Amino acid sequence: ELFIGEINKLILFLLAFMSPFFEQISVILGFPIRLKLSMLAGNILSAIGINVKVEGNMMLLNGSSFAIDEACMGLNMLAFSMLTGAVAIAHQYRNQKLQLSVKKVTLFFLFVFALDILCNLLRIMILVLFKIAPENPMHEFTGILCFVVYTMVPVYYISKHIVKQFGKPVANEAEIIRCSGLGKSLIIILSCLTLLVGFQLNIKRKQASTLYASVNLPGFTSVNLKGGITKLSSNNILAYIKPIPEFFTGEHSPLLCWRGSGYHFESVRSISISGQEIYVGRLIKQKSVLHTAWWYSNGKIQTINQLDWRMRMLKGENRFSLINITSDNEDDLHAALIMILKEKQFKISLN
């Protein structure tokens, strides 16, 4: 801005929506939201007299099952909704010759996020009510129709109203403050120093991420992998312990890692073992089926609540790791989970 002139603050939101950070946030938030949407849709359908049963991200209606997969609250739909909102706001800027403050634009995108959740909720209910399976062409058409009616159209009118109500005139070229040659030089120097500091912090972060968890699990062979990950294996169980460097970082979510290996999730839900809530699900890859479970632990506390473990790390408690246990046999997985969570034979030390 100091070199050329004031830019539209909307570019900051576009950069955020296109960044890997947004993908991480979408995966972290999208998964629990998907489970909540399934439960909410099931409750609404039950309230109007429809006999439906919800098991995690699976909905059962008269013997037919429907999986609430990533398309029903995933990265593509959410990102496209946000980008649609950005286009709508930019269109109103051009038409009305007004611009919004960063706070008002943030408020607008919160509306878009709420509309996206509502759109997905209604889409789920329609697909279940009319028993539209994923292989049916109407499955995709229903999603597109819901997106147009419940997201695109409201976003257009909300953007028009919010710009008209809260927009301010765009500054004239003569009103834009320019920077002197000395000021520009200082900005360049400070920018370079910022990059150097960021580079040094990244090196320290990588060093921290190579610290391995100390794990004791009887009958398992332990191998240290890259990135601080510990792999434990027995004849029929595979376990990964993945330390999390800081409270604000991603956590090698199985939702991403297994997908990178060609698998997709089915029947994901939360269950309780010995009073401890964990996530379980099936991994499908062609004819291969695996059963997996995961949660977060710092050696003392076990949780699946993202806010819980992040706040504990922020307060200075021992850093958490993601625990991911997988087997090709559901009974073997359940027995391993009983041993780890109920009989407490799993000891992990994190510093």
Side-chain angles (χ1 to χ4, degrees):
E1 289 189 335
L2 291 172
F3 277 85
I4 299 173
E6 187 174 1
I7 62 171
N8 192 327
K9 298 300 187 294
L10 201 58
I11 191 69
L12 301 176
F13 292 88
L14 283 172
L15 289 172
F17 299 151
M18 294 187 294
S19 70
F21 174 76
F22 185 77
E23 180 177 359
Q24 285 283 341
I25 293 297
S26 297
V27 171
I28 291 170
L29 292 179
F31 176 67
I33 289 176
R34 199 158 70 241
L35 295 183
K36 295 293 184 182
L37 280 176
S38 304
M39 184 61 66
L40 181 57
N43 291 339
I44 294 174
L45 292 173
S46 297
I48 61 176
I50 306 298
N51 184 21
V52 63
K53 183 179 179 182
V54 180
E55 295 181 357
N57 72 328
M58 298 291 294
M59 301 185 70
L60 306 177
L61 176 64
N62 299 327
S64 301
S65 62
F66 299 87
I68 312 306
D69 55 15
E70 293 180 52
C72 295
M73 189 58 222
L75 174 65
N76 293 335
M77 176 70 83
L78 182 58
F80 197 67
S81 298
M82 294 299 180
L83 292 173
T84 299
V87 171
I89 284 287
H91 175 70
Q92 297 302 328
Y93 281 0
R94 182 179 294 274
N95 282 356
Q96 301 186 40
K97 308 300 180 185
L98 300 172
Q99 286 191 6
L100 297 172
S101 66
V102 173
K103 289 183 179 180
K104 293 297 188 296
V105 176
T106 302
L107 179 63
F108 169 74
F109 282 115
L110 289 176
F111 276 117
V112 176
F113 180 72
L115 285 172
D116 192 60
I117 291 179
L118 176 63
C119 170
N120 281 289
L121 175 63
L122 294 172
R123 175 179 180 245
I124 291 168
M125 293 173 62
I126 291 171
L127 293 176
V128 173
L129 276 173
F130 293 97
K131 298 182 179 181
I132 305 174
E135 58 271 13
N136 190 327
M138 285 299 295
H139 190 95
E140 297 295 337
F141 179 77
T142 301
I144 294 171
L145 184 62
C146 288
F147 179 75
V148 171
V149 174
Y150 300 115
T151 301
M152 289 187 70
V153 173
V155 161
Y156 174 80
Y157 286 104
I158 291 173
S159 65
K160 184 177 181 179
H161 174 75
I162 198 171
V163 171
K164 183 178 180 179
Q165 186 74 21
F166 301 104
K168 296 180 179 180
V170 181
N172 295 325
E173 185 72 18
E175 297 176 359
I176 297 174
I177 300 174
R178 299 295 181 181
C179 188
S180 64
L182 177 61
K184 292 178 180 179
S185 300
L186 289 174
I187 289 172
I188 292 173
I189 293 171
L190 288 173
S191 298
C192 291
L193 289 174
T194 302
L195 287 172
L196 288 173
V197 171
F199 182 71
Q200 291 298 320
L201 289 175
N202 190 46
I203 291 176
K204 290 183 178 180
R205 182 175 177 272
K206 287 182 177 179
Q207 291 173 346
S209 68
T210 58
L211 298 175
Y212 292 91
S214 176
V215 183
N216 179 23
L217 190 59
F220 281 73
T221 302
S222 176
V223 177
N224 289 337
L225 305 178
K226 292 182 179 180
I229 297 172
T230 301
K231 174 183 175 182
L232 300 105
S233 58
S234 67
N235 292 334
N236 52 2
I237 298 292
L238 179 64
Y240 288 102
I241 315 298
K242 307 173 182 181
I244 305 169
E246 296 99 1
F247 76 93
F248 55 84
T249 59
E251 74 281 5
H252 289 288
S253 170
L255 298 168
L256 285 174
C257 295
W258 284 105
R259 188 173 64 185
S261 299
Y263 288 89
H264 70 272
F265 274 88
E266 283 188 0
S267 188
V268 183
R269 63 196 185 279
S270 63
I271 64 171
S272 180
I273 294 181
S274 188
Q276 175 57 52
E277 195 174 10
I278 63 173
Y279 286 129
V280 297
R282 289 201 307 267
L283 292 163
I284 310 296
K285 182 180 180 181
Q286 296 176 352
K287 295 183 179 180
S288 174
V289 179
L290 300 176
H291 302 270
T292 192
W294 72 97
W295 67 94
Y296 305 92
S297 172
N298 67 351
K300 297 180 179 179
I301 304 296
Q302 279 72 235
T303 182
I304 59 173
N305 188 305
Q306 287 277 341
L307 183 60
D308 182 25
W309 68 260
R310 291 181 188 276
M311 290 302 298
R312 288 179 182 276
M313 285 183 66
L314 178 61
K315 293 176 182 178
E317 295 188 25
N318 289 347
R319 63 181 183 145
F320 278 74
S321 287
L322 185 145
I323 316 298
N324 184 202
I325 314 294
T326 305
S327 176
D328 58 2
N329 184 285
E330 189 172 11
D331 292 335
D332 290 341
L333 175 65
H334 188 73
L337 294 173
I338 292 292
M339 177 187 70
I340 292 171
L341 295 170
K342 186 176 181 179
E343 299 177 11
K344 301 187 184 301
Q345 294 189 27
F346 179 74
K347 296 184 176 11
I348 177 172
S349 176
L350 298 167
N351 298 310

